[in-house]
Amino acid sequence: VKLAHLGENTIIAALTRGLSRGPRLRVGIGDDCAVIGSPRDAVWGLLKADAVIEGIHFRRDTDLRRVGWKALCRAISDIAAMGGLPEHALVTVAVSPETRLEEMKALYAGLRSAARRFHVSIVGGETSRSPGPLFINIALTGSVERVCCTTRAGGRPGDILYVTGRLGGSLRGKHLSFIPRLAEARWLVTHFKVHAMIDISDGLAADLPRLAEASRCAFCLDESRVPRSAGSTTEEALTDGEDFELLFAVSPRHAKKLEHDWRRKFVRLPLTRIGVLLKKSAPEQTRLRTHGFDHFA
Amino acid sequence: VKLAHLGENTIIAALTRGLSRGPRLRVGIGDDCAVIGSPRDAVWGLLKADAVIEGIHFRRDTDLRRVGWKALCRAISDIAAMGGLPEHALVTVAVSPETRLEEMKALYAGLRSAARRFHVSIVGGETSRSPGPLFINIALTGSVERVCCTTRAGGRPGDILYVTGRLGGSLRGKHLSFIPRLAEARWLVTHFKVHAMIDISDGLAADLPRLAEASRCAFCLDESRVPRSAGSTTEEALTDGEDFELLFAVSPRHAKKLEHDWRRKFVRLPLTRIGVLLKKSAPEQTRLRTHGFDHFA
């Protein structure tokens, strides 16, 4: 069987069965980051690796400064989605010898500028030859207070589902210049009990079912409420992917205060109720008619 | 200027100037791993990222089980060269959709088998589509007691230079099945004051000058003493690369006991004196006539 004939989830399940163990591992394969620590530690370590590849995540003619920004910010977004703060990054680059030094400098300028903005230290990595496409991998560490650590798995029936910002149309430019919702996520986990959180990378239609599944819940999504970016249809808002907005679940008891405080704190970034988590047996469960991005479909 | 017209060291220097800072960083760009911790911490964190790429580090027809082994063991070898123990790994794979699932399973079987042998937990990663070559990146964490942490930079004039095993001819097979010298390195740093250490990945002719340079020393190498693998010339032993043996510097006061204890502990693995570190102004400095592997030359 070729990978092209299998879904991404099937491939990952086949490869990683039995992996993801170890005495200090709290969350591994299947969440935004690996979480490492013992139940008594006040602070847990976070670990994320993520790649961007020419021809898949960006085109040959893209300004490499923006590619560098995107590469680091994708990983920062995953650390944010756990409620954590990023710390140290390693950059691995594989590049054709035909590439000009100026292009590589532009790539690193983008990496540096994201590192500066989000207080990440780039502490090393490797530069290797590539037989073709440019390949950039980021390994990023972070940390999160145990009480703030937020996985996909803690959602409960009745929780309100929120999404930050507006979704869809990222390929028109946002995917290269988005702002990871680090400040927003940190504010959320330090002021409220967020039950579950994920960053939307493959589209709401792919990532909402992941959060619900990890939380052993069904969900109801009001598609008409999904906030759309200018010029996007609801379909695009659900499936385009690379939004890098936050999707999270909070008890209805805290919803009113959260919405009020959010509007005062983040004046220009909308926060939208888009649905609720439900008991898994609930008959009202809405099945999404559309699917988000699958790397191998 | 294209990268092909510059040496690897020039490229890395141009890209990483001003990087590698941060309050908790002890060693960053330019050593085998990044070392993170405060001067008071008893244990420091280690962080390494390393990639293997089809067409550069292995051929299309190579058994992917061996490629998986190699990918993880390269990073383990770098952790070993700092005197540390590996802990958690993230695996990023970019693969063409035309690849068969069985091949990917073989790759993971190799990764698992290295992880099992060296007590590494594979805790996550990402699988993405590649427009062509197979690309595997390993991000590996580790830890090292502060007193055992060994960089390239601590060598002193007069130190004896040792190398483990035999060098050269790795492309004939060893580069896919080598054993990272983790047990040996741990034994060394816990029983002796090792001043400087590096794993030989680009060939002794490239890596010895790196150790000497980081230690601000000159060196004298007795080329006739360099231990050659069966069928290798001295030239090959110096320049082939991917040996993944240890090169380290120890005070002459401890040399005799070290050699004696080594022979009893590691009966089948030779340990060879190959030279000494010298004062930088020393007139006896031997310039190597050959060069190790340069990724862009």
Side-chain angles (χ1 to χ4, degrees):
Chain A
V1 200
K2 288 181 177 174
L3 299 186
H5 303 132
L6 297 165
E8 185 185 356
N9 293 345
T10 314
I11 297 167
I12 291 173
L15 298 178
T16 58
R17 201 168 293 139
L19 286 177
S20 203
R21 278 186 295 227
R24 299 184 61 233
L25 183 69
R26 306 254 70 79
V27 184
I29 291 154
D31 219 299
D32 294 301
C33 300
V35 182
I36 293 153
S38 87
R40 284 163 309 171
D41 296 335
V43 176
W44 284 345
L46 301 174
L47 196 56
K48 176 68 192 179
D50 187 72
V52 298
I53 304 158
E54 179 186 326
I56 306 290
H57 301 93
F58 63 92
R59 296 194 318 232
R60 188 78 193 123
D61 58 359
T62 307
D63 175 3
L64 287 183
R65 190 180 296 259
R66 304 179 78 196
V67 172
W69 174 275
K70 173 175 180 168
L72 188 50
C73 285
R74 279 169 59 102
I76 292 170
S77 180
D78 282 306
I79 298 273
M82 307 298 291
L85 281 168
E87 292 179 346
H88 299 98
L90 296 177
V91 179
T92 319
V93 177
V95 56
S96 152
E98 293 305 300
T99 308
R100 286 178 302 115
L101 184 61
E102 291 313 308
E103 295 178 85
M104 292 305 291
K105 283 189 173 170
L107 178 74
Y108 266 80
L111 287 165
R112 264 169 224 266
S113 111
R116 212 176 304 120
R117 165 120 183 209
F118 298 104
H119 305 291
V120 169
S121 301
I122 299 179
V123 297
E126 213 204 27
T127 304
S128 178
R129 197 146 41 94
S130 161
L134 175 58
F135 185 103
I136 304 135
N137 189 84
I138 304 293
L140 184 61
T141 69
S143 65
V144 60
E145 304 83 350
R146 186 185 64 224
V147 294
C148 293
C149 184
T150 310
T151 70
R152 302 176 179 183
R156 298 171 199 173
D159 280 357
I160 312 280
L161 292 167
Y162 287 99
V163 72
T164 63
R166 297 186 172 85
L167 308 184
S170 185
L171 260 180
R172 292 195 289 272
K174 185 188 168 191
H175 76 112
L176 291 167
S177 58
F178 69 93
I179 310 292
R181 301 305 184 193
L182 183 61
E184 294 80 2
R186 284 295 293 171
W187 180 83
L188 283 169
V189 299
T190 52
H191 289 79
F192 293 90
K193 184 74 203 116
V194 179
H195 287 164
M197 186 153 61
I198 190 173
D199 72 322
I200 304 175
S201 53
D202 293 340
L204 189 65
D207 290 324
L208 170 51
R210 284 179 189 149
L211 182 146
E213 180 73 21
S215 296
R216 296 159 194 253
C217 288
F219 62 88
C220 178
L221 172 71
D222 185 346
E223 296 190 4
S224 70
R225 303 195 73 172
V226 172
R228 290 171 285 137
S229 65
S232 291
T233 64
T234 298
E235 174 82 12
E236 289 165 347
L238 286 169
T239 62
D240 279 357
E242 301 224 308
D243 301 298
F244 301 108
E245 296 292 349
L246 298 170
L247 167 68
F248 60 93
V250 172
S251 161
R253 284 183 292 138
H254 304 308
K256 202 164 172 186
K257 176 160 167 51
L258 190 155
E259 290 174 24
H260 174 263
D261 291 0
W262 177 282
R263 276 195 298 270
R264 288 183 51 180
K265 175 78 183 170
F266 301 108
V267 179
R268 286 180 298 183
L269 187 71
L271 180 70
T272 313
R273 274 187 203 220
I274 56 163
V276 289
L277 290 178
L278 301 170
K279 268 199 195 150
K280 208 151 193 192
S281 55
E284 316 95 292
Q285 172 170 17
T286 299
R287 284 203 167 275
L288 278 170
R289 281 160 293 125
T290 51
H291 303 284
F293 182 74
D294 186 310
H295 290 265
F296 290 96
Chain B
V1 199
K2 288 182 178 174
L3 300 186
H5 302 133
L6 297 165
E8 185 185 356
N9 293 345
T10 313
I11 297 167
I12 291 173
L15 298 178
T16 59
R17 200 168 294 137
L19 285 179
S20 204
R21 277 186 295 226
R24 298 184 61 234
L25 183 69
R26 306 253 70 78
V27 184
I29 289 154
D31 220 299
D32 293 302
C33 300
V35 181
I36 294 154
S38 87
R40 284 162 309 170
D41 296 336
V43 176
W44 285 344
L46 300 174
L47 195 56
K48 177 67 191 180
D50 188 72
V52 297
I53 305 159
E54 178 186 328
I56 307 290
H57 301 92
F58 63 93
R59 295 194 320 232
R60 187 80 193 121
D61 58 359
T62 308
D63 175 5
L64 288 183
R65 191 181 296 259
R66 304 180 77 196
V67 172
W69 174 276
K70 173 175 182 168
L72 187 51
C73 285
R74 279 169 60 100
I76 292 171
S77 180
D78 282 305
I79 298 273
M82 307 298 291
L85 281 168
E87 292 178 347
H88 298 98
L90 296 177
V91 179
T92 319
V93 177
V95 57
S96 152
E98 294 305 301
T99 308
R100 286 177 302 113
L101 183 61
E102 291 314 308
E103 295 178 85
M104 291 307 290
K105 283 187 175 171
L107 178 74
Y108 267 79
L111 287 165
R112 265 169 223 267
S113 110
R116 213 176 303 121
R117 164 120 184 210
F118 298 104
H119 305 290
V120 170
S121 301
I122 300 179
V123 297
E126 213 204 25
T127 304
S128 177
R129 196 146 41 94
S130 161
L134 175 59
F135 185 102
I136 303 135
N137 189 84
I138 303 293
L140 184 62
T141 69
S143 65
V144 60
E145 304 82 351
R146 186 186 63 222
V147 294
C148 293
C149 183
T150 311
T151 69
R152 304 175 179 185
R156 297 171 201 175
D159 280 357
I160 312 279
L161 292 167
Y162 287 99
V163 71
T164 63
R166 296 188 173 84
L167 308 184
S170 185
L171 260 180
R172 292 195 288 271
K174 185 188 168 192
H175 76 112
L176 291 167
S177 58
F178 69 94
I179 309 291
R181 300 305 183 194
L182 183 62
E184 293 80 2
R186 284 295 293 170
W187 180 84
L188 283 168
V189 300
T190 52
H191 290 80
F192 294 90
K193 183 74 204 117
V194 179
H195 287 163
M197 187 152 60
I198 189 172
D199 71 323
I200 304 175
S201 53
D202 294 340
L204 188 66
D207 291 325
L208 170 52
R210 283 178 189 148
L211 183 145
E213 179 74 20
S215 296
R216 295 160 194 252
C217 288
F219 62 88
C220 178
L221 172 72
D222 185 346
E223 295 190 4
S224 70
R225 302 196 73 171
V226 172
R228 290 171 286 137
S229 64
S232 290
T233 64
T234 297
E235 175 83 12
E236 289 164 349
L238 287 169
T239 62
D240 278 357
E242 301 225 308
D243 301 299
F244 302 108
E245 296 292 349
L246 297 170
L247 167 68
F248 60 93
V250 173
S251 162
R253 283 183 291 137
H254 304 308
K256 202 164 173 186
K257 176 160 168 51
L258 190 153
E259 289 173 25
H260 173 265
D261 291 0
W262 179 280
R263 276 195 298 269
R264 289 183 50 180
K265 174 79 182 170
F266 301 108
V267 179
R268 286 181 299 184
L269 187 71
L271 180 69
T272 313
R273 273 187 203 220
I274 56 164
V276 289
L277 289 178
L278 299 171
K279 268 201 193 148
K280 208 152 193 191
S281 56
E284 315 95 295
Q285 172 170 18
T286 300
R287 287 205 165 271
L288 279 169
R289 281 161 292 125
T290 50
H291 302 284
F293 183 74
D294 185 310
H295 290 264
F296 291 96

